[in-house]
Amino acid sequence: MNYEIFKAAVIVAVLAAAFLLLCAIDKAMELKAEYDEWSTQKNRAKFRAPAYKQMNKRWTQRQNRDELWRRLTR
């Protein structure tokens, strides 16, 4: 009878350890996904500012050309 209780306790401990291990793996995967998203946003922000600056420069040049063309064709 003592052996049966010990055997049941070992089974419960193994199941609890497996459950905790699965919880730890799940949390690690969740943290990895959050880090990947943060890293992606950081890289996008780094490249976004120069891209917007270049886009605004081209837009301004086009607007200036259009305005000059309008004034010349009057």
Side-chain angles (χ1 to χ4, degrees), residues 16-59:
F19 176 74
L20 291 175
L21 185 62
L22 288 175
C23 289
I25 291 171
D26 182 52
K27 186 64 174 176
M29 290 173 62
E30 183 181 319
L31 289 173
K32 171 79 168 93
E34 287 179 18
Y35 174 77
D36 288 344
E37 180 65 26
W38 172 81
S39 180
T40 300
Q41 293 302 326
K42 181 178 138 190
N43 285 335
R44 285 181 182 167
K46 181 171 64 174
F47 294 111
R48 189 178 294 130
Y52 280 145
K53 184 177 179 181
Q54 185 181 25
M55 184 179 69
N56 285 335
K57 182 180 176 185
R58 286 189 309 226
W59 182 81

Side-chain angles (χ1 to χ4, degrees), residues 55 57-67:
M55 184 179 69
K57 182 180 176 185
R58 286 189 309 226
W59 182 81
T60 304
Q61 285 176 344
R62 186 174 39 172
Q63 291 297 104
N64 289 341
R65 286 182 191 136
D66 289 346
E67 182 62 28

Side-chain angles (χ1 to χ4, degrees), residues 6-18:
F6 178 73
K7 188 176 174 183
V10 168
I11 289 173
V12 169
V14 168
L15 290 176

